[in-house]
Amino acid sequence: DAGITQSPRHKVTETGTPVTLRCHQTENHRYMYWYRQDPGHGLRLIHYSYGVKDTDKGEVSDGYSVSRSKTEDFLLTLESATSSQTSVYFCAISGSGRRDNEQFFGPGTRLTVL
Amino acid sequence: AQSVTQLGSHVSVSEGALVLLRCNYSSSVPPYLFWYVQYPNQGLQLLLKYTSAATLVKGINGFEAEFKKSETSFHLTKPSAHMSDAAEYFCAVSDPGGGADGLTFGKGTHLIIQP
């Protein structure tokens, strides 16, 4: 298994509070991604990174920001959490930007916003 | 824009029967296609991928998929279902900007195995 960990694994928070989710990898992969998974929607890309300090928006980036100060860590921040951000969040990594390269997924973080 | 359609949010088969999970895609460029499996409370694991080398792709756990350009399909099959195959299955297409831009996923199909 690819060395990807996510923390926390579960979190309950209240509307309006800031939340940061962490993705840590030990594979030294250049590309990292944050997805959210919701019933009936599959997985949707929030943000991705193609190197340290290099990030870009995905399909559902509103309300989220990211940072990558080290190769191994990719942080996802909800500046002011809303109930619509209740979801399961997955981090993924890839060693290459090639279209045929697979992505490896972390175990996920279940976030509940009350 | 890319899109993926998985027909059937739930598919139920008997143990030992054929498994067929359907995936149709749309892509503005030649597609690269993936099937992932998700077991309960786990992340996604790659089953197989199509990268234009061969239209019939074999993956792990006895699964295979056939790329049919004329039908824009990439259906997943397994000749004989096992109880351990019960999981959520996702079809995905790689975005034209390159793998760095992420994957576009279908909504998933929940496979139920009846004893």
Side-chain angles (χ1 to χ4, degrees):
Chain A
D1 290 346
I4 312 171
T5 57
Q6 293 184 232
S7 58
R9 293 292 314 279
H10 302 270
K11 185 171 183 65
V12 179
T13 191
E14 294 187 350
T15 298
T17 60
V19 176
T20 296
L21 309 182
R22 179 184 185 229
C23 177
H24 178 77
Q25 59 141 331
T26 58
E27 305 297 322
N28 200 35
H29 280 357
R30 179 180 174 187
Y31 298 89
M32 299 185 74
Y33 311 83
W34 277 107
Y35 292 89
R36 61 178 288 173
Q37 182 180 23
D38 304 290
H41 289 277
L43 278 78
R44 293 177 290 175
L45 183 66
I46 305 171
H47 280 280
Y48 62 96
S49 169
Y50 46 97
V52 173
K53 292 184 171 29
D54 293 323
T55 65
D56 207 344
K57 296 179 179 180
E59 177 188 357
V60 290
S61 60
D62 287 348
Y64 302 95
S65 62
V66 290
S67 66
R68 192 169 178 199
S69 60
K70 298 185 290 185
T71 298
E72 57 267 34
D73 289 326
F74 192 32
L75 304 181
L76 177 71
T77 298
L78 292 65
E79 299 291 347
S80 178
T82 68
S83 58
S84 65
Q85 293 175 312
T86 292
S87 186
V88 181
Y89 292 86
F90 286 98
C91 174
I93 64 174
S94 177
S96 163
R98 290 169 47 131
R99 291 183 61 218
D100 61 346
N101 215 57
E102 69 179 276
Q103 294 181 17
F104 299 92
F105 285 79
T109 294
R110 184 174 296 275
L111 176 67
T112 302
V113 183
L114 302 176
Chain B
Q2 315 332 288
S3 68
V4 175
T5 302
Q6 292 184 239
L7 296 178
S9 59
H10 292 77
V11 170
S12 180
V13 302
S14 299
E15 190 174 18
L18 172 72
V19 174
L20 171 61
L21 304 182
R22 300 177 187 274
C23 172
N24 289 89
Y25 69 90
S26 68
S27 177
S28 57
V29 298
Y32 290 96
L33 295 156
F34 304 79
W35 274 102
Y36 282 86
V37 60
Q38 183 183 31
Y39 299 103
N41 299 314
Q42 295 186 26
L44 279 69
Q45 178 184 4
L46 183 70
L47 273 177
L48 49 80
K49 64 180 180 181
Y50 168 74
T51 59
S52 77
T55 57
L56 182 62
V57 181
K58 294 188 183 299
I60 62 172
N61 301 338
F63 284 93
E64 63 182 35
E66 185 173 9
F67 173 72
K68 293 186 177 180
K69 183 178 179 180
S70 61
E71 299 177 6
T72 61
S73 69
F74 189 55
H75 300 333
L76 182 71
T77 60
K78 182 175 181 178
S80 177
H82 191 272
M83 295 300 290
S84 61
D85 295 326
E88 190 87 15
Y89 291 80
F90 293 94
C91 183
V93 62
S94 179
D95 290 333
D101 289 357
L103 298 171
T104 296
F105 285 86
K107 295 182 179 181
T109 297
H110 185 59
L111 178 62
I112 301 162
I113 310 297
Q114 304 281 3

